[in-house]
Amino acid sequence: MTSRLSSTPSRRTVVKAAAATAVVAAPAIAVATSAASASAAEAPAFLHGIASGDPLPDGVLLWTRITPTPDAVPGSGKGPDTAVGWEVAEDKAFTKIVASGATTSKAASDHTVKVDVRGLRQATAYYFRFTAGGSVSPVGRTRTTPATDASTPGVRFGVVSCANWEAGYFSAYRHLAARTDLDAILHLGDYIYEYATGGYPEPKYVVRQHSPKNEIITLADYRTRHATYKTDADLQTLHAAHPVIAIWDDHEFANDAWSGGAENHTPGTEGDWAARAAAARQAYFEWMPVRASTEGTVYRRLRFGKLADLHLLDLRSFRSQQSTVGNGGVDDPDRSITGRAQLDWLKSGLAASDASWKLVGTSVMISPVAFGSVPAYLLEPIAELLGLPKEGLAVNVDQWDGYTDDRKELLAHLTQRGIKNTVFLTGDIHMAWANDVPVKAATYPLSQSAATEFVVTSVTSDNLDDILHVAPGTVSLIASAAVKAANRHVKWIDMDNHGYGVLDVTAERSQMDYYVISDKTQQGATTKWARSYRTLSGTQHVERVDRPVR
């Protein structure tokens, strides 16, 4: 979602658009050098942790990466085939092993291994580990989902997005890892960032450097960048504590990616987009505990008993190129953010679902956001930052706002078919939002709400106060008030904080508790609850509540 920040930005974002005025005053942040490409002191070694993901009633996907020899660093293509054993147990001491087996790590898959374990009990916590050549991995904890027809009292997810290594430390992951009440972590995209070191944020605000230092383009580059992120202690702790359910957004490829290219891709100097996208996709599936869909992407569906169906979208692989506002392209019915096949898949899944709640993981915001009625003294700098005319409607064309025909079709499907309790779960925009999703925003609240949306802020990626280098709660108060005034379906915005969400779902309601961290530049950052919003069953509206579920 975020463009590279330079003296002449190539793309303006809604985060920047929220800034009514710019006051640049912030101390430089000390640069910390990261050990992004660790070498094994002795082989084999588990240097990148372990992980689980995509839980099912009878199984879960397990992941690790083995470094068989000191020179077999990620992306090198070096290292011998290595036998890797795995075990799943009911207890942390592994006295009650319920499943075990062996696989092989190979240079062809960057020595990552995945094991799709089946035959487990539903709604049960398990422990897992790997072995190789006498070395034993850390122990991970995972959990299966309830049976598809089970009456489930509740399900609880940690929800995160937008973790830029150079922008700060992943304290949000540590705090989520410490919670023992979560069924899974939902990662809504921008798990890694593709920029060269100092490309975003600006060099003087870099907290720790990326590896490789160049912008990632090749398969070796993407593998090395994924490996760098998985050396982070807080990220390793998160993966060891909970199964992760992930989708990608643009930065797993390149900024503002679409099916045929990206804003941050120059064919003349960076080669063929299809080759770059294929490299990014391959590295992602090697390094993430994610099952590929039948289409070879991340759109897929998971179920949590009769309580919730979770529909996960891929909004990069099939989308049309982003339009520009003013040429009519945003409303063009021939342009799509989902692609025809995926939109039909989503519509049929929503219609067929007998679950109490239909959760939709969407990497970019579906709720419309208009700036046309913002006061003139705010609209001008907003329009200037977005690169738009200073009169009329301003939208973020990288979100569903840039593909209004798809959104109109989907919302009409929900209302015409009487599909209730659809909740969109969103990342990307580096701000926290709680929204009704109106059928017609211009006449809301006289017109109906088709669904609701909870947007989580970034783990570290820059938001308003970071971009302007001003104190939190200053410019943002003016900007958020103006946005809410122009968009009556928007109930709350936090433009300044970093953190995570905890979504708690019961038959009666879905509630998002928003948590913020104290300082993304500090490894020991603390966390605190900020706000909570819920959707009561059957209402299609969000309302504020005065305390978190826990």
Side-chain angles (χ1 to χ4, degrees):
M1 166 258 179
T2 310
S3 65
R4 68 188 111 189
L5 299 179
S6 61
S7 58
T8 308
S10 58
R11 173 178 170 265
R12 278 74 170 178
T13 70
V14 158
V15 177
K16 290 182 180 179
T21 59
V23 181
V24 180
I29 298 172
V31 174
T33 304
S34 65
S37 183
S39 295
E42 58 184 45
F46 297 93
L47 302 179
H48 301 90
I50 44 87
S52 69
D54 282 2
L56 301 172
D58 69 338
V60 69
L61 192 69
L62 305 182
W63 175 94
T64 194
R65 200 265 180 182
I66 187 72
T67 303
T69 54
D71 63 341
V73 295
S76 67
K78 298 180 180 179
D81 291 359
T82 304
V84 180
W86 57 270
E87 296 175 314
V88 177
E90 294 181 353
D91 63 318
K92 196 172 184 179
F94 286 82
T95 63
K96 298 179 180 179
I97 295 174
V98 298
S100 62
T103 185
T104 303
S105 84
K106 300 180 179 181
S109 58
D110 208 20
H111 292 291
T112 62
V113 296
K114 288 182 178 181
V115 180
D116 199 346
V117 181
R118 299 299 176 93
L120 303 179
R121 293 201 312 272
Q122 64 194 39
T124 301
Y126 290 98
Y127 296 88
F128 66 98
R129 66 186 179 189
F130 296 88
T131 58
S135 297
V136 182
S137 76
V139 173
R141 180 184 180 277
T142 191
R143 185 175 180 84
T144 55
T145 60
T148 57
D149 60 350
S151 296
T152 304
V155 62
R156 189 172 295 174
F157 302 100
V159 189
V160 289
S161 75
C162 303
N164 186 343
W165 174 277
E166 294 211 330
Y169 295 103
F170 297 160
S171 302
Y173 292 158
R174 181 177 74 256
H175 291 295
L176 280 171
R179 295 186 66 126
T180 59
D181 60 334
L182 302 178
D183 293 282
I185 301 296
L186 179 58
H187 201 297
L188 294 167
D190 294 343
Y191 183 96
I192 65 167
Y193 278 71
E194 85 280 11
Y195 297 116
T197 190
Y200 170 65
E202 298 170 67
K204 66 178 179 178
Y205 299 112
V206 169
V207 176
R208 49 182 180 169
Q209 290 187 341
H210 268 143
S211 180
K213 291 185 178 181
N214 57 279
E215 182 176 319
I216 54 176
I217 297 171
T218 67
L219 177 59
D221 289 342
Y222 281 99
R223 285 169 163 174
T224 303
R225 187 63 58 85
H226 272 280
T228 300
Y229 277 61
K230 280 196 167 65
T231 62
D232 182 271
D234 292 335
L235 180 54
Q236 287 193 9
T237 301
L238 180 74
H239 277 299
H242 307 295
V244 170
I245 301 166
I247 56 175
W248 57 47
D249 193 26
D250 52 343
H251 291 293
E252 287 88 349
F253 298 86
N255 183 59
D256 280 7
W258 57 286
S259 60
E263 177 276 330
N264 191 23
H265 180 76
T266 307
T269 58
E270 294 176 334
D272 179 63
W273 170 253
R276 182 177 181 178
R281 183 176 284 104
Q282 179 177 336
Y284 185 89
F285 283 121
E286 289 172 346
W287 280 86
M288 295 293 291
V290 170
R291 290 188 188 87
S293 72
T294 55
E295 297 293 326
T297 80
V298 294
Y299 82 77
R300 61 201 190 280
R301 188 174 293 119
L302 298 174
R303 185 172 172 91
F304 294 80
K306 295 176 70 174
L307 182 62
D309 281 336
L310 175 59
H311 312 261
L312 300 157
L313 302 185
D314 175 0
L315 299 184
R316 295 296 167 182
S317 297
F318 312 106
R319 73 156 72 196
S320 308
Q321 185 172 9
Q322 293 85 349
S323 182
T324 56
V325 177
N327 68 359
V330 296
D331 300 320
D332 185 347
D334 293 328
R335 297 178 62 258
S336 177
I337 191 171
T338 60
R340 184 73 258 167
Q342 184 178 196
L343 186 57
D344 288 343
W345 168 88
L346 176 60
K347 289 169 59 181
S348 64
L350 291 169
S353 175
D354 63 348
S356 300
W357 293 91
K358 293 81 177 168
L359 309 177
V360 182
T362 170
S363 57
V364 297
M365 196 157 74
I366 192 168
S367 299
V369 182
F371 297 92
S373 60
V374 173
Y377 78 98
L378 293 178
L379 181 59
E380 285 200 14
I382 287 173
E384 183 176 346
L385 287 167
L386 280 169
L388 299 171
K390 294 191 171 93
E391 297 179 358
L393 189 70
V395 299
N396 182 348
V397 295
D398 191 55
Q399 299 181 162
W400 289 75
D401 270 337
Y403 305 84
T404 63
D405 197 69
D406 275 2
R407 181 172 60 198
K408 181 180 178 181
E409 180 179 337
L410 179 56
L411 299 186
H413 178 71
L414 295 178
T415 56
Q416 293 169 7
R417 298 293 295 267
I419 300 170
K420 306 294 185 183
N421 295 349
T422 301
V423 179
F424 292 93
L425 305 171
T426 309
D428 176 67
I429 204 168
H430 307 178
M431 296 180 277
W433 301 59
N435 306 326
D436 293 345
V437 183
V439 176
K440 295 181 179 179
T443 57
Y444 189 83
L446 297 179
S447 59
Q448 68 187 114
S449 175
T452 56
E453 181 172 34
F454 297 125
V455 183
V456 294
T457 188
S458 62
V459 172
T460 62
S461 300
D462 284 359
N463 47 25
L464 191 66
D465 59 325
D466 302 316
I467 288 173
L468 297 181
H469 312 304
V470 298
T474 53
V475 171
S476 63
L477 296 181
I478 301 170
S480 60
V483 171
K484 287 175 64 179
N487 301 271
R488 287 171 290 180
H489 56 282
V490 175
K491 305 305 178 183
W492 177 63
I493 320 170
D494 177 356
M495 296 183 170
D496 293 329
N497 284 297
H498 303 277
Y500 55 93
V502 174
L503 179 74
D504 188 85
V505 182
T506 67
E508 293 76 26
R509 54 100 185 104
S510 289
Q511 177 169 323
M512 182 70 85
D513 299 329
Y514 295 89
Y515 290 84
V516 299
I517 59 169
S518 57
D519 186 343
K520 68 174 183 173
T521 68
Q522 300 298 316
Q523 285 184 296
T526 58
T527 185
K528 67 177 181 179
W529 169 74
R531 279 212 186 189
S532 292
Y533 285 83
R534 70 182 179 188
T535 301
L536 294 176
S537 178
T539 66
Q540 282 63 251
H541 293 282
V542 297
E543 62 181 24
R544 185 177 178 181
V545 290
D546 60 5
R547 62 176 62 87
V549 173
R550 172 181 177 270

